[in-house]
Amino acid sequence: MVKGASQKMTIARGDRIPSVPIKLVGTGDTIDTTSDAVLGHGLVVFFGVPGAFTPTCDTSHLPGFAANTAKFKALGVDKVVCGTVNDHHVTRAWAERSEAIGKVEFIADGDGILADAMGLSKQMSGMGKRFARFAMIIRDGVVEDLFVQDVAGVTVSGAPAVLMALQAAQVSA
């Protein structure tokens, strides 16, 4: 989200998911839709990766979420969604090759419009605009928790950290 003309703000707890055009890649056809239509209903875990097929995203970030979809569902999560600033063809090829399609839905944010709207875009040398590595818990379109990865690797934004946050929320409820 953008505050003022020049100050870029990162989405935060309590903020609504912005409504921008995206492509949803799932088990069927790729669908032109909006971010709030995909992320705005029920309990959603949304994580963003710098790029499909990139080493850490491919071997650490996505596999953790895909392998734990049953655990997420047991904690009341309606869906797990991965966002990437890649075109929908690359996103689909990655989803299929990783065998995550059907477990995880994928947002192809080819121009980085969603990444910018959420204040979670970053310029990466040789790769252009990408999502920062993050995960969030969204309930009915409102961010409940946000985990932005500040260091290399997958720690605070990985599936284990999000599962722990969901479990802690259940205990305190």
Side-chain angles (χ1 to χ4, degrees):
M1 68 183 12
V2 178
K3 183 176 184 177
S6 62
Q7 186 179 4
K8 188 175 185 177
M9 301 293 294
T10 301
I11 197 165
R13 289 181 183 148
D15 289 346
R16 287 198 88 42
I17 294 297
S19 180
V20 298
I22 54 100
K23 292 191 180 287
L24 179 63
V25 176
T27 54
D29 292 335
T30 297
I31 301 167
D32 288 316
T33 186
T34 60
S35 51
D36 61 326
V38 174
L39 303 171
H41 306 285
L43 185 60
V44 179
V45 170
F46 177 45
F47 67 103
V49 298
F53 295 108
T54 58
T56 303
C57 305
D58 193 46
T59 61
S60 297
H61 211 178
L62 174 59
F65 284 95
N68 285 290
T69 53
K71 290 180 183 177
F72 284 112
K73 298 284 184 187
L75 290 168
V77 172
D78 296 299
K79 61 183 160 182
V80 177
V81 181
C82 175
T84 182
V85 181
N86 291 104
D87 68 68
H88 65 281
H89 301 292
V90 169
T91 302
R92 178 168 297 284
W94 183 47
E96 289 173 350
R97 201 267 303 139
S98 68
E99 298 180 357
I101 204 157
K103 299 174 188 171
V104 175
E105 293 181 17
F106 291 81
I107 288 177
D109 183 25
D111 292 322
I113 296 168
L114 179 58
D116 285 343
M118 296 174 85
L120 290 169
S121 67
K122 67 182 210 173
Q123 287 296 125
M124 296 185 72
S125 179
M127 294 174 68
K129 183 191 306 183
R130 298 296 175 138
F131 266 119
R133 188 177 308 284
F134 72 90
M136 65 177 68
I137 299 168
I138 306 164
R139 185 178 306 274
D140 295 324
V142 177
V143 177
E144 280 193 356
D145 220 337
L146 176 64
F147 314 88
V148 179
Q149 192 74 46
D150 291 330
V151 296
V154 178
T155 54
V156 301
S157 67
V162 178
L163 284 166
M164 287 189 340
L166 287 164
Q167 290 166 340
Q170 276 193 340
V171 168
S172 66

